[in-house]
Amino acid sequence: MSRVIKVAQMQLINKWTFLGIPMVILVGSTAITFAIWALLPASARQGTLYSGSGQAVMWYFLALGIQSLTYTFPFSQAMSVSRKTFYLGTLGLFAVFALGYAVLYYVLGLLEQTTGGWGFNGQIFALDWIAENNGAIQILFYFVAMVLLFMIGFWAATVYMRWKATGLLIAGIGFAVLVLGLVGLATLNNAWPQVGAWFAGMQVLGLSIVFGCLCVVLAGGSYLTLRRATV
């Protein structure tokens, strides 16, 4: 466990990556949204205003998953850190940060509701379909969404480390073929109404469970790939 903690400390050598940049993205994207809403004519501000700027930090975690492996994995191998220890330390650290940001999103959502949508009747963090759930479910959703994006980036980086650009290209093509296959299957069976109804009826808790299952699959795949990755 002490070695796992040291890996986490190694990742935090550059605190700007985990702390500074996400906060800059969060504050910057929110400020830009406020500026845009303030510039809207009064007629355009009659109803509820929506913004997806709150997702900006989540998408940064996709890049963070790539950076956390490519930047520090070679150094960890030079320091004779086992792949398992590196894996547990990196994922454990990010899980802590993901939980912290999930709680922050929930708190910002409460502030948004208290202030009447930041004075604009707007929704950034307290989107209706999420905010209508209790706090635990909201935090769980934000948490698994961030972890999923991180795991996608982390797994892509492990594929690159193991098989370089060729492996990453093949994996990308394979994913595209899988998606096209599912689209074709739904089209041939005229199943799009059922697919649309399934997504429309999906609750936040159910979506969180689906995301969580994908996280487990990606976590297992990335670990198996990392075991044979080379610097």
Side-chain angles (χ1 to χ4, degrees), residues 16-27 57 60-61 64 101:
W16 181 253
T17 301
F18 281 89
L19 297 174
I21 295 179
M23 293 308 299
V24 169
I25 293 174
L26 180 63
V27 174
V57 175
Y60 169 72
F61 290 148
L64 190 59
Y101 281 110

Side-chain angles (χ1 to χ4, degrees), residues 33-40 45-49 115-123:
T33 298
F34 289 168
I36 293 174
W37 286 349
L39 293 173
L40 291 175
R45 287 190 272 136
Q46 297 301 316
T48 303
L49 300 176
T115 58
W118 310 107
F120 296 100
N121 193 26
Q123 293 185 12

Side-chain angles (χ1 to χ4, degrees), residues 5 7-23 57-58 60-61 64 68 89-105 139 142-147 150:
I5 294 174
V7 169
Q9 292 173 338
M10 179 182 66
Q11 291 282 9
L12 287 174
I13 290 176
N14 185 3
K15 294 181 176 60
W16 181 253
T17 301
F18 281 89
L19 297 174
I21 295 179
M23 293 308 299
V57 175
M58 294 186 179
Y60 169 72
F61 290 148
L64 190 59
S68 63
T90 300
L91 265 63
L93 173 67
F94 183 78
V96 172
F97 274 97
L99 180 59
Y101 281 110
V103 173
L104 176 61
Y105 266 58
I139 293 173
Y142 290 129
F143 173 75
V144 295
M146 293 179 191
V147 172
F150 177 84

Side-chain angles (χ1 to χ4, degrees), residues 3 20 42 44 66 79-80 90-91 96-97 130 133 158 160 203 230:
R3 293 186 178 184
I66 299 173
M79 298 296 292
S80 300
T90 300
L91 265 63
V96 172
F97 274 97
I130 300 177
N133 297 273
T158 60
Y160 179 81
Q203 300 296 317
T230 56

Side-chain angles (χ1 to χ4, degrees), residues 186 190-202:
N190 297 317
W192 284 114
Q194 292 86 342
V195 173
W198 183 78
F199 277 107
M202 177 70 72

Side-chain angles (χ1 to χ4, degrees), residues 2 37 51 73 77 104 123 164 169 213:
S2 62
W37 286 349
S51 175
F73 180 67
Q77 295 305 285
L104 176 61
Q123 293 185 12
K164 305 307 178 185
L169 178 62
C213 292

